[in-house]
Amino acid sequence: MCRPACRARALPLVATLGLAVLGACGPVRYVGDVGRATDAVEAARTAHAERYAPYWWTRATEYLHKAREVAAHSDYQGASRFGRIAADAATRAAADARIAAHAPVAPAPQTEAPVAPARDLPAPARGRLAPAKDPP
């Protein structure tokens, strides 16, 4: 059993330890979320997402950059949120890139007559076109 004097000395110690534990939650969560986002971006990079899923790739890399920037200002909650968004976008980029890489490419539709450049038009049609440059 602790005496009242002992409790009075222990209370500030317990409060300080409690604040230290609560203060450490932000950086720990940030490291986990941004670590997962970094791994997801690397997986998207190996799936060639920058070529096959440019929207999701750009979203993932920019949010990852923003997460690191916000963490540099000690806003770990915001950084964690940006890290989760980056991880989701990178996962979607990798999935879309894998699908697009294996999808057959449709051939370009064939037109019936090839399009001729303006200089190959018959003489009457040439007079109706505006010149690209003024004649010297």
Side-chain angles (χ1 to χ4, degrees):
M1 199 73 161
C2 191
R3 289 180 262 179
C6 179
R7 284 189 197 146
R9 285 185 294 204
L11 186 60
L13 179 64
V14 170
T16 304
L17 287 174
L19 287 175
V21 168
L22 288 176
C25 292
V28 171
R29 177 118 190 215
Y30 154 76
V31 169
D33 288 340
V34 173
R36 278 189 292 279
T38 303
D39 294 342
V41 167
E42 285 302 316
R45 179 177 282 123
T46 59
H48 302 288
E50 65 273 5
R51 178 176 178 193
Y52 294 114
Y55 172 78
W56 293 109
W57 167 256
T58 303
R59 181 179 169 108
T61 55
E62 291 301 315
Y63 271 105
L64 182 59
H65 176 74
K66 187 67 175 176
R68 291 177 176 155
E69 179 183 330
V70 169
H73 294 284
S74 299
D75 181 9
Y76 296 110
Q77 183 177 7
S80 178
R81 182 170 43 94
F82 286 132
R84 287 191 305 269
I85 293 170
D88 291 343
T91 302
R92 190 153 179 191
D96 287 358
R98 286 186 194 103
I99 291 169
H102 296 298
V105 177
Q110 295 292 326
T111 58
E112 291 184 21
V115 178
R119 67 177 185 275
D120 294 337
L121 292 175
R126 271 193 215 136
R128 290 182 280 161
L129 296 176
K133 294 181 183 177
D134 289 332

